Each structure stands twice: as structure tokens, then as C-alpha cells.
Amino acid sequence: MSSVRPGVVGATRRCPHCRETILESAAVCPACKHYLRYEPGAGAAESTQESAQTPLRIDGSIRHPPDGEPWEYTVVVTIRNDRGEEIARKLVGVGALASGEQCTFSLAVEAVEARTRRPGKGGR
Ligand SMILES: [Zn+2]
């Protein structure tokens, strides 16, 4: 299922609700927003999200000119590593814009400090 073993930083799993590949550490699926597990000791769900940062966020809109043929659009997101190699490429969505219509696109990269778990000590 995943090349990264559970418990390792960057480990992934499939969301049981929407089947997207997400971080194993996620308490809430970022794709469908379903809760994935109960956080023991966390009074509010927000407490796990407080440490999340958004080091990159891009918002932009396009508006079709008032005249002319409708547009069809394709949204593709790619991720490249330090060496410029493409490690992920995803078609996010497609759609159409009619005359005068506007669409807004938002891209957010969320980052959290990974809590590394050392096996054999301090387990619950
Ligand atoms: Zn999901």
C-alpha cells in the first residue's frame, strides 16, 4: 500500500472515507474533512491543528472576458523535490467558464512538526 512504514515520518495511508492518500499522522482527512481518529488527551480537535503552519499559500482568480467562447480549464498540481524531479502530479479538477464568470483557485501547503515515535519506550 505504502512504501513508507507506519510510524515513520512521511508515512501515508488511505482515507477510509474518500480513499485519498493522506499522512498517517492526520487526525482529520484534508480532502474530505472526516475525522479519522480520536485524539486521547486532546480536549478540542483544534489542539492538534494549532502546530500546523502554512509555509505556502497561493490564491488566484480568473475571470472570463464578457464576450467570447466559453473556456474549459484543467487544474494540475505538481510537486518537485530538491533536485527538480517530479515526485507527484495530480489532476485536481476540470471545469468550464462561461462569459463573465469567475473562478477562484487556492493552493495551500500545510506543514506540521512530525512527532517521531521511538519504538519500545513510552508507548501508551
Ligand atoms: Zn477523506
Side-chain angles (χ1 to χ4, degrees):
M1 185 164 107
S2 166
S3 57
V4 185
R5 290 202 324 273
V8 172
V9 173
T12 59
R13 64 170 165 160
R14 281 212 190 277
C15 172
H17 306 286
C18 68
R19 314 304 298 165
E20 279 290 339
T21 300
I22 60 172
L23 285 171
E24 190 201 35
S25 59
V28 177
C29 174
C32 68
K33 309 284 191 195
H34 276 97
Y35 280 83
L36 300 165
R37 63 181 150 86
Y38 173 70
E39 288 279 287
E46 284 79 11
S47 64
T48 53
Q49 305 298 315
E50 276 173 0
S51 57
Q53 316 165 39
T54 308
L56 175 66
R57 185 178 183 98
I58 300 169
D59 293 282
S61 301
I62 55 173
R63 180 178 286 284
H64 190 287
D67 44 61
E69 296 297 315
W71 290 344
E72 289 182 320
Y73 65 82
T74 303
V75 181
V76 177
V77 175
T78 57
I79 306 173
R80 290 177 202 280
N81 66 13
D82 216 11
R83 295 184 296 278
E85 299 159 346
E86 192 172 285
I87 54 174
R89 180 183 186 86
K90 188 116 183 174
L91 173 64
V92 175
V94 296
L97 279 177
S99 281
E101 271 189 341
Q102 177 178 304
C103 231
T104 301
F105 304 89
S106 299
L107 168 73
V109 178
E110 290 186 358
V112 290
E113 270 186 28
R115 273 170 248 148
T116 48
R117 279 161 285 178
R118 287 177 181 78
K121 190 172 186 295
R124 279 175 200 272

